[in-house]
Amino acid sequence: MSTEITPLQINHKEFLIASTIERCPKVMMLRELTMNALEAAALAAQNRRRIEFQVVKSGDVDKLAIWNTGPGMDGHELHEMCDIASSIRKSKSLDGNFGMGAKVASLPSNKFGLRYRSCKHGIVHELILCERDGKYGRLRRRDDNGDLHEVIDVTELVKAEGADTSFEWTEVTLLGNHRSQN
């Protein structure tokens, strides 16, 4: 690190994050989600490369989900990937990957939630990015003991829904701007 300068800091992170998200063109959402799915699936074994656009139920409402057979993420990796300017298994550069595209492009149209599920080693973790009261972040949910968590294990739930956990995959579900939006 250079001793000739003092690095700039971010004074109001919540404002910077919200303004970055709100200024992103909404037309980028499907492109960024599709590119992430293509890049991830390309890392799967040749005979296992799949990407699917699906309609899934959230309660009784249809939602769009993008699913791929790329390398899955454990709970720690999923949590890390959901930060702004963060990505897993990609190098960041100013003329390449910023680690912001899909999250930033999707959140303005999915303030109620952008649900990430990822299966790795037979365990499925889930994290929801959303906006509440003007702030973007990870939705915290209570477990059976009343403890709050940002990443939860939903393995039994997805098995009951019919998902296969014998190989790695990731799914992003667009929950929209309100519960009833399809």
Side-chain angles (χ1 to χ4, degrees):
M1 185 166 139
S2 174
T3 57
E4 297 176 27
I5 65 168
T6 301
L8 295 176
Q9 301 298 310
I10 298 172
N11 187 3
H12 194 296
K13 287 191 280 188
E14 290 173 356
F15 171 76
L16 178 62
I17 290 168
S19 67
T20 300
I21 290 168
E22 294 296 331
R23 287 183 285 129
C24 185
K26 292 178 181 175
V27 297
M28 297 296 293
M29 179 176 66
L30 285 178
R31 181 219 179 270
E32 293 294 327
L33 289 166
T34 301
M35 287 303 298
N36 281 2
L38 286 168
E39 291 169 358
L43 298 173
Q46 184 75 26
N47 62 341
R48 300 283 300 168
R49 294 178 182 169
R50 284 185 23 220
I51 298 168
E52 295 179 9
F53 288 79
Q54 308 170 340
V55 174
V56 299
K57 289 285 187 189
S58 177
D60 60 345
V61 180
D62 291 337
K63 304 291 183 175
L64 176 65
I66 299 100
W67 180 91
N68 72 74
T69 56
M73 293 175 276
D74 62 25
H76 175 76
E77 291 169 321
L78 185 58
H79 186 274
E80 182 180 316
M81 185 276 309
C82 285
D83 274 331
I84 298 295
S86 180
S87 57
I88 303 294
R89 294 181 279 282
K90 296 180 188 177
S91 57
K92 286 188 283 261
S93 68
L94 293 178
D95 60 350
N97 177 45
F98 285 15
M100 297 170 66
K103 296 168 283 213
V104 170
S106 300
L107 278 166
S109 298
N110 293 281
K111 292 179 179 183
F112 183 69
L114 186 62
R115 183 181 73 193
Y116 286 86
R117 285 182 172 173
S118 195
C119 181
K120 184 172 185 173
H121 304 303
I123 300 170
V124 182
H125 288 96
E126 176 180 287
L127 183 145
I128 297 175
L129 292 177
C130 61
E131 181 270 336
R132 298 292 188 271
D133 300 320
K135 296 178 185 174
Y136 288 93
R138 296 174 189 90
L139 184 63
R140 297 174 73 201
R141 294 175 281 172
R142 293 197 185 278
D143 64 15
D144 294 338
N145 298 324
D147 297 325
L148 288 169
H149 300 278
E150 296 170 4
V151 179
I152 61 173
D153 181 332
V154 294
T155 306
E156 295 309 314
L157 174 66
V158 299
K159 283 181 177 179
E161 292 172 351
D164 188 346
T165 60
S166 66
F167 58 92
E168 296 188 7
W169 52 263
T170 297
E171 177 187 80
V172 180
T173 302
L174 309 176
L175 300 177
N177 281 331
H178 49 83
R179 187 180 311 276
S180 61
Q181 182 180 1
N182 66 5

